[in-house]
Amino acid sequence: MDTQTVSANTNALNQLIKDEQFQKLIERTQRLNIFEAVGLRRQELRHSDFLAFMLDPSSNHGIGDMFLREFIRQAKLSLSTQNLSEARVYREHFFIDLLIEVPREWVLLIENKIDAAESENQLATYRERAQQAFHPLQPHMLFLTPTGLQASAGNEDWTSISYQVIYDTCSRLLHDKSIARNPKVKMLLEDYATFLGSHILNNPELKELCKQLYREHRLAIDLLLEHLPKLKNEGIEIAQQITLELQKEQDIELDDAYHHKLQRIADTTLDHVAEITDEQLWTESRRGLLYEWEFDDNALYLDFVIGPIDEQTKQNLVSALSNQFPRTHQNSGKYIHIYREKIIAFDDILETDNPDKLVTIGKMRVLDFIKRQRGAL
């Protein structure tokens, strides 16, 4: 790169740094937000946990049924609000993300999907379970997604709503005088609304600000994008190093390789639990229980996977594991990813100056995860 180009690039970056709108964007992203601090991002389970807390009138947030009442209004639900103080809110009851019951009056199911797709017959199964458990009440059902996606064919009785409903619920409550007198709840609602606008919803104000900055500082931003670290690639390298370290451990063996040339991991103490009779079906080892590395945009994970074993053994395993891990992560029929454990967050890769330390930490987390599965089986 010649001197003139280097000088032009440096000037472009300096202009971006000094831009008033860029400084505002930095200030917005760096302001302490409790949901940023705990790494919520697009983690469906944690969003469901927080919503259950706020929707439950008996929670210790101190605002009674206000959140539930406003949510019903924003979602345009035809539900009686006379006895909301008696509402009971359940997490993972019958594996349903959120179940709200006002005894003898109504039952509301909320299936929360941020990035994950529906499993086969998932919504129909939830409907049937609720109908049986709460007969003669007929459940009301909401399918909650960031953009209000429709539920799959055959589930038209699930009403689709977007996270805009949650955002509007928070925003409306922030105008209530009683919320203003409760600083802790006010902070929670402000932070969650801000978080949703930044990470879940398509915030038009933020989108326009970013477009404006890109128009005015295209060269500088393109340079930043060009030199961003490839976190996923670095995550794969860390996974490979952890895997190599694991094979030194007693009762741990490496199995077949799959995507990104990563090898599945086997706990040999579980070999007797499940075995595949058709060796063509999964791996040459014919093991029915293995661990697989997985990635999303934020982290490196390890999945505990039940392979294509006989159906009765599979159901027995799911039942045994559900006592410790109450929700199946993904079920594709032939394979069940019974639980997913975060091993290394990509933010940690970005911030560390000691990758070997991450490998050591990752190995410890993997071994702890494997030990917990052993305990459940």
Side-chain angles (χ1 to χ4, degrees):
M1 187 180 296
D2 58 53
T3 304
Q4 187 175 358
T5 302
V6 171
S7 178
N9 290 345
T10 302
N11 288 335
L13 290 168
N14 286 332
Q15 289 174 19
L16 174 63
I17 292 169
K18 294 176 183 177
D19 188 287
E20 183 178 341
Q21 295 300 321
F22 185 64
Q23 292 298 325
K24 288 181 179 179
L25 184 61
I26 292 175
E27 182 181 344
R28 174 174 181 154
T29 57
Q30 290 185 342
R31 186 181 75 85
L32 177 62
N33 183 303
I34 186 62
F35 299 98
E36 295 276 6
V38 298
L40 187 65
R41 293 299 170 108
R42 301 176 73 87
Q43 296 184 37
E44 180 183 299
L45 298 181
R46 290 188 180 180
H47 281 279
S48 295
D49 287 339
F50 177 70
L51 291 175
F53 172 76
M54 294 306 302
L55 288 165
D56 191 343
S58 65
S59 292
N60 63 358
H61 45 54
I63 61 172
D65 62 20
M66 288 180 66
F67 194 95
L68 176 57
R69 186 177 299 274
E70 186 60 32
F71 172 77
I72 290 172
R73 193 178 78 83
Q74 293 293 338
K76 298 180 172 59
L77 297 172
S78 300
L79 299 174
S80 169
T81 57
Q82 184 174 354
N83 298 311
L84 286 187
S85 62
E86 299 177 15
R88 302 168 182 171
V89 180
Y90 304 95
R91 278 284 287 120
E92 301 296 346
H93 194 50
F94 304 123
F95 295 107
I96 299 166
D97 286 327
L98 293 161
L99 189 152
I100 307 173
E101 173 198 11
V102 174
R104 300 173 299 281
E105 291 190 17
W106 52 260
V107 175
L108 175 65
L109 317 182
I110 304 175
E111 181 60 20
N112 181 21
K113 294 292 185 188
I114 295 182
D115 290 318
E118 294 174 55
S119 299
E120 186 177 357
N121 298 322
Q122 182 181 19
L123 298 183
T125 300
Y126 292 170
R127 180 199 307 115
E128 291 170 6
R129 289 173 179 171
Q131 287 172 336
Q132 293 172 6
F134 296 98
H135 181 78
L137 296 177
Q138 284 297 313
H140 301 263
M141 296 166 291
L142 296 178
F143 189 61
L144 173 63
T145 63
T147 58
L149 289 175
Q150 296 296 310
S152 59
N155 295 297
E156 289 76 13
D157 48 353
W158 286 77
T159 301
S160 297
I161 63 170
S162 78
Y163 262 84
Q164 187 67 46
V165 170
I166 308 297
Y167 180 90
D168 291 342
T169 298
C170 296
S171 299
R172 177 66 185 82
L173 288 174
L174 284 168
H175 289 89
D176 191 287
K177 291 181 180 178
S178 61
I179 297 295
R181 293 193 294 269
N182 190 329
K184 290 184 178 179
V185 173
K186 182 173 182 288
M187 182 195 74
L188 277 178
L189 294 176
E190 285 178 339
D191 279 5
Y192 195 57
T194 300
F195 185 88
L196 292 180
S198 298
H199 297 290
I200 304 297
L201 298 171
N202 186 10
N203 187 311
E205 178 186 348
L206 180 62
K207 185 177 180 180
E208 183 53 40
L209 174 59
C210 291
K211 284 175 65 177
Q212 177 186 340
L213 284 169
Y214 188 66
R215 284 195 300 266
E216 296 176 3
H217 302 280
R218 184 169 182 170
L219 174 59
I221 293 172
D222 284 348
L223 277 169
L224 291 173
L225 293 173
E226 182 182 345
H227 291 88
L228 279 177
K230 304 297 189 293
L231 294 179
K232 185 173 181 178
N233 291 343
E234 293 185 29
I236 291 170
E237 291 181 8
I238 288 176
Q240 290 170 333
Q241 292 177 51
I242 293 173
T243 303
L244 291 174
E245 288 294 318
L246 287 169
Q247 67 180 338
K248 302 174 185 177
E249 297 291 322
Q250 185 177 1
D251 300 324
I252 302 294
E253 290 184 4
L254 304 187
D255 210 281
D256 290 0
Y258 57 117
H259 65 285
H260 303 300
K261 297 183 179 179
L262 289 170
Q263 287 181 273
R264 295 181 175 92
I265 299 166
D267 177 2
T268 59
T269 67
L270 300 182
D271 284 352
H272 69 285
V273 176
E275 184 176 318
I276 298 168
T277 56
D278 185 346
E279 63 185 35
Q280 301 301 317
L281 277 177
W282 197 18
T283 71
E284 292 183 2
S285 71
R286 294 165 52 192
R287 289 186 172 105
L289 298 172
L290 290 169
Y291 294 87
E292 292 184 351
W293 293 106
E294 297 291 343
F295 303 86
D296 62 15
D297 292 336
N298 302 310
L300 163 68
Y301 302 88
L302 194 66
D303 282 14
F304 186 47
V305 187
I306 303 176
I309 59 179
D310 71 272
E311 193 60 32
Q312 186 58 56
T313 303
K314 183 182 293 185
Q315 293 308 315
N316 291 342
L317 286 169
V318 170
S319 177
L321 288 165
S322 64
N323 293 326
Q324 184 170 350
F325 308 109
R327 183 174 176 83
T328 297
H329 175 72
Q330 180 183 354
N331 183 355
S332 62
K334 185 181 290 187
Y335 308 98
I336 299 181
H337 291 238
I338 189 70
Y339 190 70
R340 169 168 292 184
E341 181 86 344
K342 181 189 284 187
I343 304 301
I344 298 292
F346 286 165
D347 284 348
D348 293 337
I349 297 176
L350 184 63
E351 295 171 7
T352 189
D353 55 0
N354 187 354
D356 290 340
K357 184 177 180 180
L358 288 184
V359 172
T360 301
I361 292 171
K363 178 185 174 182
M364 291 173 59
R365 289 173 179 167
V366 169
L367 291 173
D368 178 68
F369 182 40
I370 292 173
K371 182 179 179 180
R372 281 183 278 139
Q373 316 307 308
R374 288 177 185 170
L377 296 174

